[in-house]
Amino acid sequence: MGKKEVLTGNFAASYGATVSRAQVIAAYPITPQTTTVEILSEIVANGELEAEFIKVESEHSAMAASIGAAAAGARTFTATSAQGLALMHEVLHWAGRARLPIVMANVNRAMAPGWSIWADATDSIAQRDTAWMQIYCENNQEVYDSVILAFKIAENEKILLPMMLNLDAFFLSHTSQVVEKRDQDKVDKFLPPMKLKYKLDTKDPHAFGGLTSVDYYYEFSYMIQEAMENAKNVIKEAGKEFGKIFGKEYGLIEKYKTDDAEFVLVTYGTISGTAKDAVDKLREKGIAAGVLKIRSFRPFPREEIQAALKNCKKVGVIDRAVSFGHEGPFFTETKAAMFGDTKPFYGFIAGLGGRDVSIKDIENVVDIMKKENPSNLIWIGVKK
């Protein structure tokens, strides 16, 4: 077993990058992400990690620097949040379409205005089509482990796509939890040095990112989609290998008391932990409820969701984000994955801008689902 320490979510991401032996760190501060790169600057300065720490002038520049480093074959890490992630948008497309295995921690924060520094997944959801894989973390151990896993998955030659791991602002970023640090020798065995087949190299020159005609752009897009589909199995295989070495397995989804559940709550991020506690209380009352936590939003685990939800009677999807003019994004995609299934599906919006989502709120969600004809889009706790 590794050494256990009390770490915030931001520090968990930093130490995950450290034990992964990141070689380049591009850093720009933004609340509530700042301490992630701040502690990494100290780790590099103290000689605990042999890496280039690049201080840049904006989040756009942080991603541009990450692109250059990854293109040259360096294991690259960066971090951001909300408006910073939005500023990166242009170069996120470049990183994804250039097939660069960059790992980025994004602290999920509400988008302004009104100006907010609190939790909300709208920032990352808005980047769903940039060819980045996306993982959502429930707790700080998951943040730490997911950094290691992210490099393992992203660098797989069948994938070669960047990965964004998301953690809720303050609920994780600044909240301290016990985290088991993984032994360096075991991490080195699990995650060997990165070796890109094609990279910027004066001894073996190639051209990258040039003009593409209509003869090939279509095929490049197809190859990215193919890599995303391949990533499903790679994520599962890497999670199983991680479990054998470290005793904790990760997959595309996580099921909690769903096998005999009549009511299943589909969740992601920190709401998942609250939902599990609520399910325990509901079970004590004789209500057969369960939780399906979606860890991977991109690639989206269609087959796993179909299998997990096939036998329940009703499904409620809780989103900490909203696609204005429509509904919650996880709700939309879960329904699409279950196309043809005639059971009722209900969408719930909760916790936008960091609004607390309590066990009682989750119990109320199930109470609403028990009604014969509840509304199809319910805002939990909204002040009217």
Side-chain angles (χ1 to χ4, degrees), residues 11-241:
F11 281 18
S14 304
Y15 285 111
T18 301
V19 77
S20 298
R21 298 191 187 276
Q23 296 169 295
V24 174
I25 297 152
Y28 192 80
I30 182 171
T31 302
Q33 173 275 129
T34 301
T35 55
T36 306
V37 292
E38 188 174 61
I39 191 65
L40 275 169
S41 71
E42 296 179 13
I43 291 169
V44 173
N46 292 338
E48 299 172 54
L49 175 64
E50 187 176 346
E52 291 291 329
F53 188 89
I54 306 173
K55 295 174 285 184
V56 297
E57 67 273 16
S58 73
E59 290 88 358
H60 188 284
S61 299
M63 185 49 56
S66 296
I67 287 169
R75 181 170 288 161
T76 306
F77 179 83
T78 189
T80 192
S81 182
Q83 312 297 138
L85 183 64
L87 185 58
M88 287 181 176
H89 179 71
E90 175 198 356
V91 274
L92 290 181
H93 282 280
W94 185 278
R97 296 195 65 89
R99 310 293 297 275
L100 299 173
I102 300 161
V103 172
M104 175 167 61
N106 176 62
V107 180
N108 282 131
R109 187 191 107 180
M111 298 296 294
W115 198 257
S116 173
I117 57 172
W118 309 103
D120 192 318
T122 302
D123 58 350
S124 55
I125 295 295
Q127 312 303 327
R128 74 180 90 178
D129 299 325
T130 55
W132 280 67
M133 295 178 285
Q134 288 194 18
I135 295 291
Y136 288 80
C137 300
E138 178 186 344
N139 54 54
N140 293 350
Q141 184 69 60
E142 197 168 341
V143 171
Y144 179 95
D145 291 342
S146 291
V147 176
I148 303 167
L149 279 161
F151 282 115
K152 176 80 168 184
I153 296 158
E155 293 171 9
N156 186 294
E157 63 180 15
K158 294 180 181 179
I159 314 303
L160 294 177
L161 290 172
M163 180 175 282
M164 180 190 309
L165 60 105
N166 297 284
L167 57 151
D168 285 340
F170 296 100
F171 294 118
L172 292 186
S173 68
H174 286 66
T175 298
S176 296
Q177 299 175 355
V178 176
V179 173
E180 181 182 335
K181 287 184 169 182
R182 307 308 184 180
D183 291 334
Q184 185 67 66
D185 59 340
K186 291 182 179 180
V187 175
D188 290 341
K189 180 182 177 182
F190 176 77
L191 182 65
M194 183 172 78
K195 294 181 180 179
L196 286 183
K197 186 175 182 180
Y198 302 106
K199 61 183 180 180
L200 294 172
D201 186 350
T202 56
K203 297 178 181 178
D204 185 23
H206 293 81
F208 297 91
L211 179 66
T212 304
S213 72
V214 295
D215 294 326
Y216 294 105
Y217 188 92
Y218 189 70
E219 282 67 32
F220 288 149
S221 298
Y222 175 82
M223 291 164 67
I224 291 170
Q225 178 64 18
E226 199 171 36
M228 278 286 187
E229 291 297 328
N230 290 339
K232 295 178 184 180
N233 283 331
V234 172
I235 288 169
K236 289 189 286 187
E237 290 166 4
K240 288 178 182 178
E241 183 184 350

Side-chain angles (χ1 to χ4, degrees), residues 264-297:
V264 175
L265 302 170
V266 179
T267 62
Y268 55 99
T270 54
I271 290 178
S272 301
T274 307
K276 292 174 185 176
D277 290 339
V279 161
D280 290 341
K281 289 184 175 292
L282 289 165
R283 289 274 177 167
E284 291 173 2
K285 299 175 183 178
I287 300 170
V291 175
L292 173 62
K293 181 178 84 172
I294 297 179
R295 254 179 58 79
S296 173
F297 184 59

Side-chain angles (χ1 to χ4, degrees), residues 229-259:
E229 291 297 328
N230 290 339
K232 295 178 184 180
N233 283 331
V234 172
I235 288 169
K236 289 189 286 187
E237 290 166 4
K240 288 178 182 178
E241 183 184 350
F242 191 92
K244 289 178 181 178
I245 296 173
F246 300 107
K248 172 66 175 175
E249 185 175 323
Y250 294 95
L252 296 158
I253 62 171
E254 180 186 316
K255 296 185 292 183
Y256 185 76
K257 299 185 178 180
T258 58
D259 290 346

